[in-house]
Amino acid sequence: IEPKLGWSAHQEALAKRVRVRFSGRLICVHLRSVTPFTPEESNADGPTWQAFFDKYAKEGVCDFLLIGDDALPTGFTLGRGVTRAVDLEFELATQLALTSIADGFMGMASGLCTAANLSQVPHVIFKHPSHHSDAMVIELGSSVSFPFAHRRQQLWRREVDAVSLNEAFNLIS
């Protein structure tokens, strides 16, 4: 059974209004940044993501929208083509509904990723290989996706680095 997260007509309409603000491709991203956790506990590494966005973000061509209200990771600053949804005062429900109609999703494993997991949006979700490793083996075995996921919907248990971010971006593009 393929689960699908549904939204009220009101939330769908709000998400569609937000979507038209971004004229090019829109990739929603969750950079988990919760104190006192580390990248080994699936927090985002600021400099790694900074280099990725510096390479791929181009306002009006490929925009990245950071969902959630996490603090920006240490070593990361916003640049052209990278926007925080909370700074635009988008409510969380609108952010999640928007995730399901974006061109893609990338980010750290968290509750917010459920919006991508239970939608048709291509996505790569990162979970550090040592974070909840026993539970992840029980849940996914050696698979990189849930049984209901499509080919371009994956959960990677690997460290986030330049190579993995490039591969993820190419997979969802």
Side-chain angles (χ1 to χ4, degrees):
I1 298 174
E2 184 177 333
K4 184 174 187 282
L5 192 58
W7 304 103
S8 69
H10 175 70
Q11 283 304 325
E12 283 184 7
L14 287 174
K16 287 177 182 176
R17 265 189 276 166
V18 169
R19 177 62 185 95
V20 298
R21 290 183 172 196
F22 301 94
S23 57
R25 295 186 64 235
L26 177 63
I27 310 295
C28 289
V29 177
H30 182 236
L31 298 182
R32 184 175 183 264
S33 181
V34 180
T35 303
F37 300 112
T38 65
E40 291 76 21
E41 296 162 301
S42 295
N43 256 6
D45 178 70
T48 301
W49 282 94
Q50 184 76 57
F52 170 76
F53 289 130
D54 288 348
K55 180 177 181 179
Y56 289 106
K58 188 169 182 183
E59 194 170 9
V61 176
C62 185
D63 286 287
F64 294 89
L65 182 67
L66 306 183
I67 66 167
D69 63 357
D70 298 48
L72 293 177
T74 302
F76 177 82
T77 56
L78 296 173
R80 293 179 59 82
V82 182
T83 309
R84 292 180 77 217
V86 71
D87 292 344
L88 299 175
E89 300 182 356
F90 299 154
E91 293 181 3
L92 182 59
T94 303
Q95 294 175 44
L96 298 175
L98 181 60
T99 295
S100 68
I101 63 169
D103 296 299
F105 177 88
M106 296 173 67
M108 313 310 295
S110 71
L112 296 179
C113 296
T114 303
N117 278 333
L118 301 179
S119 75
Q120 299 295 313
V121 70
H123 63 262
V124 172
I125 298 167
F126 292 95
K127 183 145 183 100
H128 193 279
S130 65
H131 191 213
H132 301 131
S133 57
D134 292 340
M136 293 305 296
V137 169
I138 292 168
E139 188 148 348
L140 287 178
S142 61
S143 180
V144 296
S145 60
F146 292 103
F148 53 81
H150 299 277
R151 183 183 62 79
R152 296 186 327 148
Q153 295 180 312
Q154 300 186 5
L155 190 154
W156 292 356
R157 291 169 282 180
R158 58 196 266 197
E159 292 186 41
V160 177
D161 58 20
V163 171
S164 63
L165 285 172
N166 288 336
E167 288 176 12
F169 186 74
N170 289 332
L171 177 75
I172 68 170
S173 295

